[in-house]
Amino acid sequence: MLDKRNIIQQEEPAILVGVVHKDQTEPQVQEYLDELAFLAETAGAVAVKRFVQKLQHPDSRTFVGKGKLEEIRNYLDGKNIRVIIFDDELSGSQITNIEKALDVKAIDRSDLILDIFARRAKTAQAKAQVELAQYQYILPRLRGMWKHLERLGGGIGTRGPGETEIETDRRIVRTKISLLRKKLAEIDKQAFTQRKDRGEFIRVALVGYTNVGKSTIMNLLSKRHVFAENKLFATLDTTTSKVVFENTPFLLSDTVGFIRKLPHHLVESFKSTLDEVREADILLHVVDISHPNYEEQIAVVNKTLHELEASEKPTLTIFNKMDLYEKKTFDEWLEEGTKKEILEDLYDRWNNEFHGNAVFVAAIEKRNMDCLRKTILKKVREMYRVRYPYRTEFLY
Ligand SMILES: Nc1nc2c(ncn2[C@@H]2O[C@H](COP(=O)(O)OP(=O)(O)OP(=O)(O)O)[C@@H](O)[C@H]2O)c(=O)[nH]1
Ligand SMILES: [Mg+2]
C-alpha cells in the first residue's frame, strides 16, 4: 500500500501558500487558509507562516511567481521547515519545480485531505476507497511524485527491458486501481444486500460540511455513541441507527462531511459510502451558523449533493451551534429586545429561503432538540403517508 501517512510527521512545522484569483478578495483567501491550517493541524502539522499572492492565473511552472518563490526561499533559509502546503491543486511538474527551487516537500489541499482520510479510514471499505482515490490522484502526477514513491520502495524496481521508471510506475498504479475497483465492487454488493434488508423504513441522512456537528446531533437523536470531536473528518464511515419517535420508526444515518475543493476522485470513490445519502428519503442538512463562511459552506454542500444526484430530496436545514453564534454576534451591553429582534430576523430570513424548513439548535447544550425531533417526526410521517397510503402502523 502506498503509505502517504509519512507526508507529515507529528508537530511538523509547515508553511501555507494561497493565491488570490481575480474574483476573490484577500480576506476570503485568508479564510480559506484558516481552513487549510485546520486541515494541516488535523493531519498533525503546525502552520507557522502564510504567503499570499495576487495572481490572475497561477504560474504554470511554479504556481506562484518568481519573486514570491524567492521570498519564500529567503524565509526558509536556515529554518527547519520541510513542508509547504498549497491551497490549490498542483500539477506534477509544478511539484517538481517547487521542490527543486525550495528543497522542501510540496503538497496541496487534496494531498492533505487524502492524507487525513487515509489516517482516519477504519473499515476495509473506507481503506480501499481512500487508497483508490490516492492512486487516481497520483497517476497523472507520477513525475512529481517520484520522490514520494521512491521512499516507499516496495513494488517498484520490477522494470521491464527498455521501460522508464515512470512508465513502470504508471503500470503498477493502473493495476492497483483496477484491483481496488474490483475489491470495492465486491464490498458494494454485500452492502447493497444489507441495505435492502432494512426493508420499508423511511431513511433519513445527516449531511453537511465537516465539523458542523452532524455526529453530535446523531448521538442526541439516536442515543448512540458516534465519535465526535473538534477535528475535520472525524467521521468517515456511515453509521446507521434505527430510531423510534413516538412509535414511528425510521433509519437515521451519519455520513462523512464535505469540504470546499473535496478532491473529485475522493467523491467518486466514496460514492458507495455516500449511497446512504443518495438512497435517503429525507436529508438533514446541518450547518454551523457560527462559522464566518457558513453561507459558502451551504453552497459547497449543495454542489456536492448535486454531484451525488441528491439535491432534489426533501431537506430540513439544521442551523447548529447557535450558542457560539450568539456569543459572537451579541455584545454584552445589547438589550434583550434587540437580541430577540436579531434572532427573529435570522429565523425569518432562512425560513423564507428554505420555505419553512429550517430549525435552529445548539446540540452541545441540547437546545431546541424537542422542536427538532418534532419537525423530523412530522416529515417522516408525511413520507410514510405518501409511500404507504393504506397502512397506519408507522404513524401511531
Ligand atoms: N459550541 C458548540 N459546539 C458544537 C455544537 N455541536 C457540536 N459542536 C462541536 O463541534 C465539533 C464537531 O462536532 P462533530 O459532531 O464531530 O461534527 P461532524 O459534523 O460530525 O464532523 P465530521 O464528522 O468531522 O465531518 C465537536 O467539537 C463538537 O463538540 C454546538 O451546538 N455548539
Ligand atoms: Mg462526524
Side-chain angles (χ1 to χ4, degrees):
M1 181 181 165
L2 234 182
D3 194 3
K4 298 202 69 206
R5 260 174 249 207
N6 293 336
I7 288 185
I8 287 176
Q9 317 287 323
Q10 281 309 305
E11 308 285 310
E12 166 116 51
I15 54 178
L16 308 183
V17 181
V19 159
V20 185
H21 298 291
K22 57 178 180 307
D23 306 328
Q24 296 172 329
T25 61
E26 165 121 22
Q28 212 175 4
V29 171
Q30 288 296 348
E31 292 278 2
Y32 296 158
L33 290 184
D34 286 345
E35 186 175 82
L36 191 69
F38 197 4
L39 280 167
E41 185 192 309
T42 301
V46 186
V48 292
K49 171 88 180 162
R50 294 174 177 197
F51 290 91
V52 171
Q53 184 175 36
K54 273 202 180 114
L55 274 182
Q56 288 281 352
H57 303 286
D59 188 284
S60 62
R61 286 194 65 253
T62 51
F63 196 76
V64 290
K66 254 207 190 99
K68 190 53 85 176
L69 208 62
E70 194 55 40
E71 191 187 327
I72 298 173
R73 206 186 30 210
N74 288 337
Y75 174 81
L76 285 171
D77 195 32
K79 294 195 182 67
N80 186 25
I81 297 175
R82 304 181 307 128
V83 180
I84 180 166
I85 308 173
F86 289 77
D87 196 39
D88 296 88
E89 258 189 28
L90 301 172
S91 70
S93 65
Q94 283 171 333
I95 294 173
T96 315
N97 294 333
I98 294 166
E99 291 191 343
K100 218 189 271 164
L102 300 177
D103 197 28
V104 290
K105 270 180 289 179
I107 63 178
D108 61 24
R109 175 183 265 260
S110 297
D111 254 329
L112 210 51
I113 294 174
L114 286 167
D115 192 50
I116 295 168
F117 270 60
R119 281 167 206 251
R120 302 234 158 187
K122 293 215 172 57
T123 61
Q125 186 188 25
K127 282 186 180 144
Q129 285 169 329
V130 177
E131 221 182 320
L132 175 61
Q134 285 183 313
Y135 280 122
Q136 285 173 321
Y137 177 77
I138 279 173
L139 191 57
R141 293 179 176 77
L142 267 180
R143 202 171 287 274
M145 293 282 179
W146 174 244
K147 276 199 212 124
H148 298 315
L149 284 170
E150 212 171 29
R151 281 188 292 117
L152 304 166
I156 298 159
T158 46
R159 226 167 306 159
E163 281 180 320
T164 69
E165 288 161 331
I166 288 169
E167 277 162 17
T168 312
D169 288 348
R170 284 207 180 106
R171 199 155 37 80
I172 293 170
V173 170
R174 282 204 195 94
T175 313
K176 281 271 189 192
I177 288 176
S178 75
L179 283 176
L180 284 165
R181 284 221 172 96
K182 269 192 211 130
K183 188 169 165 185
L184 282 169
E186 205 45 52
I187 299 175
D188 270 3
K189 232 191 284 169
Q190 293 166 13
F192 181 72
T193 325
Q194 271 175 19
R195 285 204 302 274
K196 259 181 38 191
D197 288 347
R198 295 206 204 123
E200 306 165 305
F201 294 129
I202 293 296
R203 283 155 60 174
V204 180
L206 285 154
V207 296
Y209 210 79
T210 182
N211 208 44
V212 294
K214 299 177 294 299
S215 299
T216 309
I217 291 174
M218 172 81 183
N219 288 339
L220 285 177
L221 295 179
S222 69
K223 306 201 173 68
R224 250 187 108 124
H225 281 283
V226 181
F227 181 59
E229 68 166 347
N230 192 21
K231 287 266 171 81
L232 302 178
F233 304 113
T235 309
L236 280 197
D237 297 300
T238 305
T239 317
T240 301
S241 263
K242 186 179 158 193
V243 179
V244 183
F245 286 176
E246 296 180 29
N247 296 327
T248 297
F250 63 95
L251 297 176
L252 181 67
S253 299
D254 181 25
T255 63
V256 58
F258 302 153
I259 197 166
R260 182 181 150 265
K261 293 191 190 159
L262 195 61
H264 174 70
H265 292 311
L266 210 52
V267 179
E268 224 15 71
S269 60
F270 265 78
K271 266 207 164 129
S272 49
T273 297
L274 292 167
D275 273 346
E276 211 62 56
V277 176
R278 294 201 286 174
E279 294 171 14
D281 301 294
I282 297 167
L283 299 182
L284 305 178
H285 179 169
V286 184
V287 175
D288 172 0
I289 197 161
S290 74
H291 196 282
N293 264 353
Y294 80 96
E295 292 190 49
E296 193 182 342
Q297 295 188 344
I298 294 177
V300 169
V301 171
N302 287 339
K303 190 167 152 263
T304 314
L305 287 174
H306 193 78
E307 271 179 66
L308 295 168
E309 291 161 29
S311 54
E312 300 295 314
K313 293 181 191 290
T315 302
L316 176 68
T317 305
I318 303 174
F319 290 92
N320 189 31
K321 306 200 189 179
M322 281 300 286
D323 57 317
L324 271 188
Y325 172 83
E326 288 176 10
K327 218 187 264 164
K328 284 174 52 181
T329 316
F330 297 158
D331 283 321
E332 261 171 64
W333 45 263
L334 218 58
E335 281 174 29
E336 286 306 312
T338 319
K339 287 185 191 170
K340 226 172 143 186
E341 268 171 35
I342 293 176
L343 288 178
E344 292 296 332
D345 279 352
L346 185 78
Y347 300 158
D348 284 351
R349 175 178 166 212
W350 289 107
N351 269 308
N352 277 334
E353 176 96 16
F354 296 128
H355 311 287
N357 292 302
V359 181
F360 298 78
V361 303
I364 209 98
E365 21 178 84
K366 301 187 183 161
R367 197 200 297 183
N368 219 16
M369 291 309 285
D370 276 342
C371 169
L372 176 61
R373 281 195 195 90
K374 280 207 181 93
T375 316
I376 296 171
L377 178 64
K378 193 163 155 258
K379 287 208 160 302
V380 169
R381 285 187 170 167
E382 268 166 26
M383 198 59 93
Y384 274 123
R385 274 193 208 100
V386 172
R387 182 155 314 159
Y388 310 113
Y390 303 108
R391 294 169 60 178
T392 54
E393 72 262 35
F394 295 127
L395 302 180
Y396 305 106

